[in-house]
Amino acid sequence: MLRKINAFYVGIVMLTSILFISIVIPNLMPEPAIEQFRYHFDQKSLEIPPFSPSSDNWFGTDRNGKDLFYAIMDGAKYTIFFALVITFGRMLLSFIGGLVFKRLFLNNWVSGLLQGFQFVPQSLIVLLVLSPLYFYELRTDSFLSYTETLVIQLVVLIAAGIFPLAKIIAETADSLSQNDYVTCAKHMGSSSLQITIRHVLPHLWPRLFVLSGRQFSQVLTLMLHLAIYHLFIGGVKITSGQVHDQFNNYSTVSNEWTGLISMYHRELMLEPFVVMIPVVAYTLLILCVNIMTKSLEKSLDKQAIY
């Protein structure tokens, strides 16, 4: 099926290239030193961050002098890896739950309850659960380590999408089991397990791949929604913005892209390139995923026609 999908390969190549570069570059080159100012002797002028894109800093720097190219390259692998782990965890648990407890998810009461939760944003649920754990007082450190922070975030983000996704898988499996060949298999004495393995799963797998692509995009969107409220994947570092702490600065620990967008959103009216660079990178990632998902959907539609 995938051999005929050129667009799918384009998305795969783009996604793999981004991930490969993100792993290799930070290991080959050290992070550029932060420069608080630059003095140009020929022009007798003083320049302070943020520095515009140049041969020294390909993407420029932020207001603290941090190199944006290194930050983008370093954060790409975390953004992709976190989204992949959350998507895989959701798909695996929802697949098992949707097939094992199919009758439960098809029950009118349970289905109606889950249908109502679809109108509640997942970002709101996750924010209410995680905020008390990660927003600590200024001048104090978080009581959770980096690993503990990451594990709790992954568990909550996975759990937030399991039940709606399991409902979709259960409904899809039930729809496939209504086909005529499945009915014939039932009359011939096939068990539910045999019907699931031989007749439902072969037609369910392609739909699961499409559903995985949609989930990946939804997880990236969810990460961006959480980042707007300073809840960054991997943890948040809170520092004082002024002497008397009237304003706080929220920084991402892992350099993941949604955290960078949230960190630099104030620069939109001051130095737009600082925030637009992570925005463009995030947009390209969404584009890669959508290209692959749309290609799979078209292939699935063609198979349904024939």
Side-chain angles (χ1 to χ4, degrees):
M1 178 181 67
L2 298 181
R3 293 179 180 177
K4 301 179 181 179
I5 305 176
N6 295 329
F8 180 86
Y9 284 119
V10 171
I12 283 289
V13 170
M14 293 174 62
L15 190 62
T16 305
S17 300
I18 294 173
L19 188 58
F20 176 77
I21 294 173
S22 175
I23 295 173
V24 171
I25 286 185
N27 291 324
L28 293 181
M29 58 176 289
E31 183 175 4
I34 294 178
E35 296 181 281
Q36 298 296 338
F37 64 90
R38 288 177 181 173
Y39 184 77
H40 303 281
F41 292 94
D42 54 343
Q43 301 176 359
K44 295 183 179 180
S45 61
L46 184 68
E47 185 182 6
I48 61 174
F51 302 122
S52 301
S54 63
S55 58
D56 296 327
N57 306 103
W58 292 356
F59 291 169
T61 70
D62 64 6
R63 196 161 294 277
N64 296 320
K66 183 177 181 179
D67 186 77
L68 291 178
F69 175 77
Y70 187 90
I72 291 294
M73 292 298 102
D74 181 54
K77 56 181 176 290
Y78 297 111
T79 306
I80 297 174
F81 180 73
F82 292 154
L84 282 175
V85 170
I86 295 169
T87 301
F88 178 78
R90 286 184 175 187
M91 292 300 303
L92 179 62
L93 296 177
S94 299
F95 173 74
I96 296 173
L99 293 183
V100 175
F101 303 102
K102 183 173 67 174
R103 293 184 178 180
L104 177 64
F105 285 104
L106 295 177
N107 181 274
N108 291 334
W109 287 97
V110 177
S111 179
L113 180 63
L114 293 178
Q115 186 71 25
F117 270 99
Q118 291 183 359
F119 297 97
V120 180
Q122 290 186 12
S123 55
L124 178 60
I125 298 175
V126 176
L127 188 66
L128 292 176
V129 175
L130 293 182
S131 293
L133 297 175
Y134 298 113
F135 290 150
Y136 50 88
E137 252 184 74
L138 198 61
R139 299 195 187 89
T140 63
D141 294 328
S142 175
F143 60 90
L144 296 173
S145 66
Y146 178 81
T147 302
E148 292 172 339
T149 299
L150 186 57
V151 169
I152 293 175
Q153 287 178 331
L154 290 177
V155 169
V156 174
L157 287 170
I158 290 173
I162 288 179
F163 292 104
L165 188 57
K167 176 177 177 291
I168 294 174
I169 294 176
E171 292 174 346
T172 304
D174 182 67
S175 176
L176 293 172
S177 64
Q178 302 301 323
N179 292 325
D180 294 337
Y181 57 85
V182 177
T183 305
C184 294
K186 290 179 180 179
H187 292 316
M188 294 176 65
S190 298
S191 64
S192 299
L193 181 60
Q194 290 175 326
I195 291 174
T196 301
I197 295 176
R198 296 181 180 179
H199 301 291
V200 175
L201 288 183
H203 298 277
L204 184 61
W205 287 124
R207 291 170 171 80
L208 291 180
F209 283 110
V210 174
L211 198 56
S212 298
R214 294 175 180 173
Q215 277 296 308
F216 192 87
S217 297
Q218 290 179 10
V219 169
L220 288 173
T221 305
L222 175 60
M223 290 168 57
L224 183 60
H225 289 172
L226 296 176
I228 294 175
Y229 293 96
H230 309 299
L231 205 158
F232 307 140
I233 297 296
V236 55
K237 182 179 180 181
I238 305 176
T239 56
S240 174
Q242 291 190 3
V243 178
H244 299 292
D245 303 338
Q246 292 96 333
F247 302 98
N248 296 336
N249 291 327
Y250 298 86
S251 305
T252 174
V253 177
S254 60
N255 282 333
E256 55 92 14
W257 290 351
T258 59
L260 293 177
I261 294 173
S262 177
M263 283 174 53
Y264 299 144
H265 77 278
R266 296 178 182 176
E267 299 288 349
L268 186 60
M269 303 302 294
L270 302 173
E271 298 290 346
F273 76 89
V274 175
V275 66
M276 289 307 299
I277 288 175
V279 166
V280 171
Y282 176 83
T283 304
L284 287 176
L285 180 57
I286 293 288
L287 179 62
C288 293
V289 178
N290 288 341
I291 287 175
M292 293 186 290
T293 305
K294 290 295 181 182
S295 298
L296 289 173
E297 288 179 351
K298 290 181 180 179
S299 178
L300 188 62
D301 291 340
K302 289 180 180 179
Q303 286 188 347
I305 292 175
Y306 296 107

